[in-house]
């Protein structure tokens, strides 16, 4: 027995030494009992009960050996049973019914049970459902902390297939093959050309819209411009000198920075479609965003080329470096009087929120025309000229114009209507969203409001009963300068939910400093292109019992 005892002790001592590090790691990772810590037994005994004690120690050692072997088996089984998932499999898990999966690096997580516990609200986490967390963590850096990663680790279910990390190849003949990578939170209205808007819950999260989720309106493939060889051609006035400006040359002009909201003429077009079919992208409430722009004033550049105000009508025409297969570039124009007015603050911008312009937003230079429809803010600017008539571009002469509801595609005459420049007063609700269920007690309503031409928003009225009664919302954001209110006002209203109400018909309307107010319904302002959609915005929600 003593020989057997000594042999057993020796073998278990060796086993403990060989497995010590592995066992500690494995038991910590695999054991369901976090308090379990393997203890090294004492292998010495003495006295009259040595024999009995020896057998007891042998039993203890045998038990410990069994535990170590079991834990080793469990760890090996866990390692061998790691599930491998494809990105396609992950992307199919986007609802409570299918399970809500996300990825971080090469790891896959099932966060279905955590969605309702997410501190930022379920809707924020659902934006990443079926895809990577990284783009959203880049927006909200507070997530990239050890305790958040430890929390996430509890929901890990497997790994991504390594083959999925290889980017798919795209035919080089595709004119959109070189388009930039976009943020997955954007709600895509068309892929080629790319047009997308941020979801409502992110749109008014910040007064300044983060660059990755700024709404994108492209008409053609995105050009890839070399900043070192870039030149902006400015046609000189008669007797003046034409300019060929590099980026460095533009930086030599005095730099100005202004906060400006851009809005597409088709923002909220989807609401006009509900009245009658229109032609155009189905923009919801997100074809609007705000940034801090930096660059040279257009009036300074035009003055250097010899231009000045004249008594006859004139227009500044812009051409972009984006073009279709025939070589036709995107173009637009604004009146010379606006371009030459220092108070209008028109910029040749090369910065957006303190960074070089992103490719989707006009790198290296774009026009920013405060208070004017987004269609005139030409991106990837290549040429500027002053002409007696407005641009002959299709997008100036045959698009972005408003018509009577009685005009259809058989009777429309684009020459009969002026091009849209300044936009009418606008507002929309971003939270809660249509169809949501809100808690009884108190509801918080959020949104944005803006008016074209530098007109300040002075009030936003909100109704919970479809417009029968109204309350005034609180305005947030920068104070607006007289006649230079280039940026939106964010607003919110915290209000008790009327007792016994099972649903709310929330409505908002904005008033600007010219006392212009939004129309109450869409039908009277319907037009065949679905532009200038600024009726009261309406959201229907349910109230939780």
């Amino acid at each position: 027995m003593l020989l057997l005892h000594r042999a057993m002790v020796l073998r278990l001592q060796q086993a403990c030494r060989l497995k010590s590090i592995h066992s500690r790691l494995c038991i910590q990772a695999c054991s369901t009992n976090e308090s379990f810590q393997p203890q090294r037994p004492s292998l010495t005994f003495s006295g009259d009960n040595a024999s009995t004690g020896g057998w007891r120690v042998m039993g203890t050692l045998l038990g410990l050996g069994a535990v170590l072997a079991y834990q080793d088996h469990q760890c090996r089984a866990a390692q061998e049973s790691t599930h491998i998932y494809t990105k396609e499999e992950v992307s199919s898990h986007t609802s409570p019914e299918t399970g809500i999966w996300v990825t971080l690096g090469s790891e896959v997580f099932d966060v279905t049970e955590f969605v309702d516990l997410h501190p930022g609200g379920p809707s924020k986490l659902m934006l990443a459902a079926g895809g990577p967390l990284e783009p959203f963590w880049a927006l909200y850096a507070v997530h990239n902390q050890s305790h958040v990663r430890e929390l996430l680790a509890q929901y890990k279910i497997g790994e991504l297939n390594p083959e999925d990390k290889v980017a798919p190849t795209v035919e080089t003949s595709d004119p959109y093959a070189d388009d930039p990578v976009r943020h997955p939170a954007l709600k895509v209205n068309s892929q080629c050309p790319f047009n997308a808007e941020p979801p409502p819950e992110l749109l008014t999260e910040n007064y300044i819209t983060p660059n990755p989720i700024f709404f994108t309106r492209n008409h053609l493939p995105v050009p890839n411009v070399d900043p070192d060889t870039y030149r902006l051609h400015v046609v000189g006035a008669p007797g003046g000198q034409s300019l060929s400006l590099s980026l460095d040359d533009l930086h030599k002009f005095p730099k100005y920075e202004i906060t400006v909201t851009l809005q597409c003429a088709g923002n909220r077009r989807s609401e006009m479609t509900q009245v009658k079919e229109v032609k155009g992208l189905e923009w919801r409430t997100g074809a609007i965003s705000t940034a801090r722009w930096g660059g040279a004033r257009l009036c300074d550049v035009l003055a250097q080329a010899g231009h000045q105000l004249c008594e006859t009508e004139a227009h500044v025409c812009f051409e972009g470096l984006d073009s279709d297969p025939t070589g036709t570039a995107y173009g637009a124009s604004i009146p010379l009087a606006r371009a030459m007015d220092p108070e209008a603050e028109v910029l040749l911008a090369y910065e957006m929120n303190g960074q070089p312009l992103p490719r989707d937003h006009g790198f290296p230079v774009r026009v920013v025309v405060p208070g004017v429809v987004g269609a005139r803010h030409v991106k990837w600017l290549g040429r500027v000229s002053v002409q007696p008539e407005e641009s002959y571009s299709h997008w100036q002469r045959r698009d972005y114009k408003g018509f009577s509801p009685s005009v259809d595609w058989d009777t429309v005459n684009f020459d009969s209507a002026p091009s849209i420049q300044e936009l009418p007063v606008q507002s929309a609700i971003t939270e809660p969203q249509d169809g949501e269920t809100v808690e009884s007690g108190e509801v918080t309503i959020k949104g944005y409001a803006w008016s074209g031409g530098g007109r300040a928003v002075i009030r936003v009225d909100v109704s919970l009963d479809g417009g029968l009664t109204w309350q005034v919302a609180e305005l947030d954001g920068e104070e607006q300068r007289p006649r230079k209110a280039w940026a939106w006002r964010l607003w919110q209203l915290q209000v008790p939910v009327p007792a016994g109400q099972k649903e709310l018909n929330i409505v908002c309307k904005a008033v600007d400093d010219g006392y212009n107010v939004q129309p109450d319904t869409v039908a009277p302002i319907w037009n065949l292109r679905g532009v200038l959609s600024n009726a009261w915005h309406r959201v229907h929600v349910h109230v939780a019992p």
Side-chain angles (χ1 to χ4, degrees):
M1 186 189 79
L2 183 59
L3 291 174
L4 175 63
H5 172 263
R6 288 176 177 172
M8 183 64 70
V9 168
L10 180 61
R11 288 188 180 184
L12 286 174
Q13 284 177 323
Q14 292 172 342
C16 284
R17 284 196 296 269
L18 290 173
K19 293 178 180 282
S20 61
I21 297 176
H22 174 71
S23 295
R24 283 197 299 270
L25 294 175
C26 245
I27 291 171
Q28 183 179 359
C30 300
S31 176
T32 57
N33 182 0
E34 294 181 356
S35 65
F36 175 82
Q37 294 294 333
Q39 301 293 324
R40 231 178 191 184
S42 171
L43 301 180
T44 62
F45 48 86
S46 60
D48 295 337
N49 295 325
S51 176
T52 304
W55 283 111
R56 287 176 178 171
V57 170
M58 281 182 59
T60 301
L61 293 171
L62 287 170
L64 177 59
V67 169
L68 291 171
Y70 175 76
Q71 292 292 342
D72 183 59
H73 170 76
Q74 289 290 89
C75 278
R76 289 177 183 274
Q79 293 166 355
E80 292 170 1
S81 63
T82 298
H83 284 83
I84 303 297
Y85 299 100
T86 65
K87 286 184 178 179
E88 184 177 359
E89 287 178 291
V90 174
S91 67
S92 67
H93 291 77
T94 57
S95 69
E97 291 73 28
T98 61
I100 300 162
W101 294 8
V102 295
T103 65
L104 184 67
S106 61
E107 298 177 302
V108 181
F109 306 88
D110 182 347
V111 295
T112 309
E113 295 180 358
F114 179 69
V115 169
D116 288 335
L117 304 176
H118 185 244
S123 63
K124 299 290 196 305
L125 184 53
M126 286 300 294
L127 292 171
L133 288 171
E134 284 90 343
F136 301 93
W137 282 23
L139 282 177
Y140 303 102
V142 67
H143 290 82
N144 197 17
Q145 299 184 47
S146 59
H147 72 276
V148 178
R149 289 180 175 272
E150 290 170 6
L151 176 64
L152 183 63
Q154 300 175 34
Y155 299 94
K156 181 176 176 179
I157 58 173
E159 299 276 339
L160 275 177
N161 189 331
E163 296 179 3
D164 272 351
K165 296 179 183 179
V166 180
T169 58
V170 182
E171 292 294 332
T172 55
S173 59
D174 179 2
Y176 295 95
D178 195 35
D179 269 18
V181 176
R182 279 87 180 204
H183 197 284
L186 292 171
K187 303 297 184 183
V188 179
N189 290 317
S190 73
Q191 283 285 357
C192 301
F194 187 80
N195 292 280
E197 60 190 294
E201 60 268 35
L202 292 185
L203 181 59
T204 52
E205 185 92 349
N206 300 285
Y207 178 71
I208 298 294
T209 312
N211 290 356
I213 59 169
F214 198 100
F215 91 94
T216 301
R217 176 65 173 110
N218 294 335
H219 297 82
L220 299 162
V222 176
N224 198 350
V225 182
D226 183 350
D228 294 329
T229 60
Y230 170 78
R231 295 295 182 272
L232 172 61
H233 300 285
V234 182
V235 178
Q241 182 179 2
S242 293
L243 308 176
S244 180
L245 302 174
S246 66
L247 267 180
D248 286 340
D249 293 331
L250 276 175
H251 279 268
K252 293 175 183 177
F253 287 88
K255 180 183 177 182
Y256 289 83
E257 293 188 29
I258 50 174
T259 304
V260 177
T261 294
L262 269 62
Q263 181 181 222
C264 179
N267 192 30
R268 298 179 58 196
R269 179 181 283 129
S270 59
E271 295 165 51
M272 283 196 173
T273 302
Q274 296 172 17
V275 173
K276 185 180 177 182
E277 184 180 0
V278 299
K279 288 189 178 179
L281 298 169
E282 287 288 291
W283 295 106
R284 294 172 288 277
T285 57
I288 184 171
S289 298
T290 299
R292 183 77 175 168
W293 307 93
R297 290 192 308 189
L298 177 60
C299 61
D300 293 339
V301 175
L302 290 176
Q304 185 163 315
H307 293 287
Q308 56 186 353
L309 283 174
C310 52
E311 295 181 359
T312 58
E313 183 180 7
H315 301 262
V316 179
C317 299
F318 309 113
E319 286 185 16
L321 296 173
D322 50 335
S323 61
D324 65 18
T326 69
T328 301
Y330 182 85
S333 61
I334 62 174
L336 177 63
R338 182 184 291 273
M340 293 298 297
D341 182 2
E343 295 297 305
E345 300 184 298
V346 182
L347 291 186
L348 301 181
Y350 45 75
E351 286 184 0
M352 179 179 180
N353 294 333
Q355 301 175 351
L357 295 175
R359 282 186 61 204
D360 257 332
H361 300 291
F363 179 83
V365 177
R366 74 173 298 165
V367 185
V368 172
V369 192
V372 168
V373 64
R376 313 303 168 215
H377 299 235
V378 176
K379 299 189 282 188
W380 313 289
L381 187 63
R383 188 174 189 270
V384 179
S385 63
V386 177
Q387 305 292 339
E389 296 187 24
E390 66 178 1
S391 170
Y392 279 92
S393 165
H394 164 85
W395 293 280
Q396 186 80 23
R397 300 274 182 137
R398 293 291 180 268
D399 203 351
Y400 299 119
K401 296 185 176 185
F403 297 94
S404 166
S406 64
V407 174
D408 58 27
W409 289 101
D410 294 326
T411 60
V412 64
N413 176 9
F414 276 94
D415 291 330
S416 68
S419 302
I420 299 171
Q421 293 284 341
E422 297 179 0
L423 287 169
V425 63
Q426 174 73 283
S427 72
I429 300 162
T430 57
E431 294 185 42
Q433 296 176 47
D434 193 58
E436 276 191 17
T437 298
V438 300
E439 295 297 322
S440 58
E442 188 175 71
V443 61
T444 299
I445 306 164
K446 297 182 180 181
Y448 64 78
W450 180 78
S451 192
R455 294 179 291 275
V457 170
I458 61 171
R459 194 178 77 238
V460 173
D461 299 324
V462 180
S463 173
L464 301 185
D465 52 18
L468 296 177
T469 61
W470 299 89
Q471 301 184 58
V472 177
E474 178 183 349
L475 300 179
D476 299 323
E478 294 179 2
E479 288 298 320
Q480 299 186 317
R481 297 174 294 167
R483 300 175 301 283
K484 291 185 179 182
W486 308 132
W488 62 12
R489 297 300 297 267
L490 303 185
W491 57 264
Q492 65 175 330
L493 176 68
Q494 289 184 313
V495 60
V497 175
Q501 289 289 88
K502 296 182 178 179
E503 56 185 34
L504 302 175
N505 291 308
I506 307 174
V507 181
C508 74
K509 61 181 176 72
V511 182
D512 69 20
D513 61 10
Y515 287 97
N516 302 297
V517 65
Q518 296 170 250
D520 59 347
T521 56
V522 176
I525 60 172
W526 182 95
N527 58 86
L528 76 175
R529 277 290 283 119
V531 294
L532 308 169
S533 180
N534 73 323
W536 295 357
H537 189 225
R538 302 169 184 268
V539 169
H540 179 263
V541 299
H542 305 282
V543 179

